[in-house]
Amino acid sequence: QKEVEQNSGPLSVPEGAIASLNCTYSDRVSQSFFWYRQYSGKSPELIMSIYSNGDKEDGRFTAQLNKASQYVSLLIRDSQPSDSATYLCAVNSGAGSYQLTFGKGTKLSVIP
Amino acid sequence: NAGVTQTPKFQVLKTGQSMTLQCAQDMNHNSMYWYRQDPGMGLRLIYYSASEGTTDKGEVPNGYNVSRLNKREFSLRLESAAPSQTSVYFCASSEVSAWPGNTIYFGEGSWLTVV
């Protein structure tokens, strides 16, 4: 059973601070990793994808991947109230696998 | 740009009734998916279709059937609804698959309540 674990939160950070969201996965052959943002009552939307060890930056978002530790994280710099949402980590096991396994999500609340 | 369109958005069913959730995408994607999302359980894959003419079971297929009608359309059928199928259902599509990282695009969701 492939598992993706996230702290459920809620994670509360003040406006302007860095929010750090973490995710661990059980399947060592996992190849691609995604972070989705989901506002309440809405569908998930992709905000970051990462495939190689290290950091990947996109605006205020940085995804970090460590395959040896089976760990992926998302940093949100200069957090804004509009970042308040549930963040879902998703993992794909590689070639031939059409299935994404999602974590249960971390609820982030950015306090003005 | 419609993307992935699901119907209906809201539905209330009585136990034992049947219904079909419709999904269509206009992005010319090969792969389509049906997920359900429950509080505390996250998103779970029900069925997927890697390409037109193929369908495969996901993590929670029991009680559901699917039809890949053509490249655009992928429907989900509940033959005899049960209260345990009360959930939010998301249809999604991607260009080839989730590897090596093609984006999965989600529809807006269908809220289903079985009483």
Side-chain angles (χ1 to χ4, degrees), chain B residues 9-100:
Chain B
K9 191 170 178 69
F10 299 99
Q11 183 73 48
V12 178
L13 282 178
K14 294 182 178 179
T15 298
Q17 286 185 321
S18 62
M19 76 159 297
T20 300
L21 297 175
Q22 307 285 354
C23 176
Q25 51 91 9
D26 63 2
M27 295 175 283
N28 201 36
H29 286 168
N30 289 314
S31 300
M32 297 186 73
Y33 314 80
W34 276 105
Y35 285 87
R36 63 178 287 174
Q37 188 173 36
D38 304 289
M41 297 298 294
L43 277 162
R44 293 181 292 169
L45 183 65
I46 305 171
Y47 271 93
Y48 67 98
S49 171
S51 60
E52 186 179 356
T54 70
T55 60
D56 286 283
K57 295 178 181 179
E59 182 184 354
V60 288
N62 291 344
Y64 306 94
N65 286 301
V66 291
S67 296
R68 184 73 183 266
L69 304 171
N70 47 55
K71 190 172 185 179
R72 290 186 63 249
E73 298 174 290
F74 188 39
S75 63
L76 178 72
R77 182 162 179 84
L78 287 69
E79 291 290 352
S80 179
S84 61
Q85 295 178 303
T86 294
S87 188
V88 183
Y89 292 85
F90 289 101
C91 180
S93 71
S94 67
E95 185 172 314
V96 175
S97 72
W99 169 260

Side-chain angles (χ1 to χ4, degrees), chain A residues 31 36 38 41 43 51 92 98 104, chain B residues 33 37 40 97 99-101 107:
Chain A
Q31 296 289 335
Y36 283 80
Q38 186 175 26
S43 59
Y51 318 118
N92 178 274
Y98 289 84
K104 296 178 182 178
Chain B
Y33 314 80
Q37 188 173 36
S97 72
W99 169 260

Side-chain angles (χ1 to χ4, degrees), chain A residues 50-104:
Chain A
I50 186 167
Y51 318 118
S52 304
N53 281 328
D55 295 358
K56 179 181 178 183
E57 187 174 318
D58 183 1
R60 295 186 296 111
F61 299 97
T62 299
Q64 299 175 316
L65 175 61
N66 184 325
K67 289 186 178 180
S69 299
Q70 295 176 240
Y71 176 90
V72 59
S73 65
L74 179 71
L75 300 178
I76 306 174
R77 291 181 300 281
D78 189 23
S79 296
Q80 300 298 309
S82 59
D83 295 326
S84 298
T86 297
Y87 289 80
L88 306 174
C89 174
V91 175
N92 178 274
S93 294
S97 171
Y98 289 84
Q99 299 189 35
L100 278 187
T101 301
F102 283 84
K104 296 178 182 178

